[in-house]
Amino acid sequence: MANLNFIFGLLGNLTTGLVYLSPAKTFWHIVQRRSTEEFESIPYISKLLNAYFWVWYGIVNPNSVLVASVNGFGAALEIIYVIVFLIFAPPMMRGRTAVLAGVCDVVFPGTTVLVTQIFFDRDVQIKVSGFLSLCFSMVAYSSPLSAMKTVVVTKSVEYMPFLLSFILFINGAVWTVYAVLTKDLFIGIPNGSGFILGAAQLVLYAMYWKPKSSSKKISDDALEDGWQHERLISADNPEKREG
């Protein structure tokens, strides 16, 4: 059983690593253009916060080093993404991003970890870190819902890239199996939900896919980063899924 846990945990590391790497082309585009253009920073600030809590959960929860490792990798990537955004965003967007990143990615997680480490025992730390990880992962997995709605309304999968949908589906499936093997509800609930949503995306893709006309070109950013370009909050420059 321990070997199975390790195998699925390792597979989860690979699939989650691919999810964290998916915005890399967008940020290379930002660096080349020296502008964030229409992109929004909120998805990356949120994903960094989510990664922090999974790292914390993987550290305090026994035998969860594989959860901590991949999310540590993800946190490092998300920090790079946010820094790139701060460098190339216009002044107003840069200021808002700095404030949000400071509050959401420094003050909130730092205070939460510090308070629980000082005043509560390990069992409470596991429950708090697991619950917060579960909540933020549910938010992350629900982000494609608006893209799914667009697919149904437009009857086109143009802006719901198959590869990213497939990776998220596999990622949810692998971590769900891992959660069953380790009897970990904090991992199982969000990833089980992600698996179901991923399956729904693939069904929609099968229903609405049609060959692209040669005159129609989808931007590289839309293909590689999918629904993350969709606006999450009102912004001057709108943009738009643990292990």
Side-chain angles (χ1 to χ4, degrees):
M1 184 65 75
N3 287 337
L4 271 180
N5 294 353
F6 179 78
I7 290 170
F8 277 95
L10 190 59
L11 288 173
N13 271 239
L14 294 174
T15 56
T16 302
L18 290 174
V19 173
Y20 277 125
L21 284 167
S22 64
K25 193 172 183 179
T26 291
F27 282 88
W28 179 240
H29 171 85
I30 288 173
V31 171
Q32 288 183 311
R33 297 291 182 89
R34 304 187 68 81
S35 171
T36 56
E37 298 177 344
E38 80 278 13
F39 300 114
E40 173 60 67
S41 61
I42 294 293
Y44 310 104
I45 292 172
S46 300
K47 286 167 69 178
L48 176 56
L49 179 61
N50 188 38
Y52 278 162
F53 282 122
W54 278 120
V55 170
W56 181 30
Y57 180 71
I59 291 172
V60 298
N61 193 38
N63 304 315
S64 297
V65 64
L66 290 173
V67 176
S69 61
V70 69
N71 286 287
F73 169 74
L77 284 179
E78 296 299 335
I79 288 171
I80 293 171
Y81 298 154
V82 172
I83 289 173
V84 169
F85 208 96
L86 287 169
I87 292 172
F88 295 109
M92 186 174 294
M93 177 71 74
R94 184 183 300 124
R96 181 170 57 235
T97 298
V99 171
L100 285 172
V103 173
C104 297
D105 295 333
V106 179
V107 176
F108 175 55
T111 302
T112 304
V113 173
L114 187 63
V115 169
T116 53
Q117 290 292 122
I118 293 174
F119 296 106
F120 298 100
D121 60 21
R122 180 58 61 92
D123 187 55
V124 173
Q125 293 167 23
I126 292 171
K127 290 177 180 177
V128 171
S129 60
F131 178 74
L132 290 173
S133 299
L134 183 158
C135 291
F136 287 113
S137 290
M138 291 293 288
V139 171
Y141 270 126
S142 67
S143 61
L145 287 173
S146 55
M148 294 168 68
K149 178 182 177 183
T150 300
V151 169
V152 173
V153 171
T154 64
K155 301 187 185 305
S156 170
V157 295
E158 183 177 3
Y159 295 106
M160 190 176 73
F162 173 80
L163 183 59
L164 186 57
S165 298
F166 181 71
I167 290 173
L168 288 171
F169 167 75
I170 295 298
N171 188 59
V174 169
W175 282 112
T176 299
V177 174
Y178 177 87
V180 171
L181 293 172
T182 58
K183 299 179 173 61
D184 192 323
L185 287 177
F186 292 127
I187 294 175
I189 291 173
N191 285 288
S193 301
F195 170 71
I196 293 170
L197 282 173
Q201 290 174 60
L202 295 181
V203 169
L204 286 178
Y205 203 94
M207 290 173 60
Y208 294 111
W209 179 84
K210 58 189 71 170
K212 305 183 194 70
S213 68
S214 57
S215 61
K216 197 169 187 178
K217 183 181 179 184
I218 304 173
S219 72
D220 289 341
D221 294 324
L223 280 172
E224 144 281 321
D225 209 11
W227 51 79
Q228 292 187 36
H229 298 294
E230 186 160 330
R231 179 170 53 191
L232 297 187
I233 63 171
S234 178
D236 297 325
N237 295 317
E239 180 211 17
K240 166 128 151 152
R241 234 222 280 181
E242 153 347 51

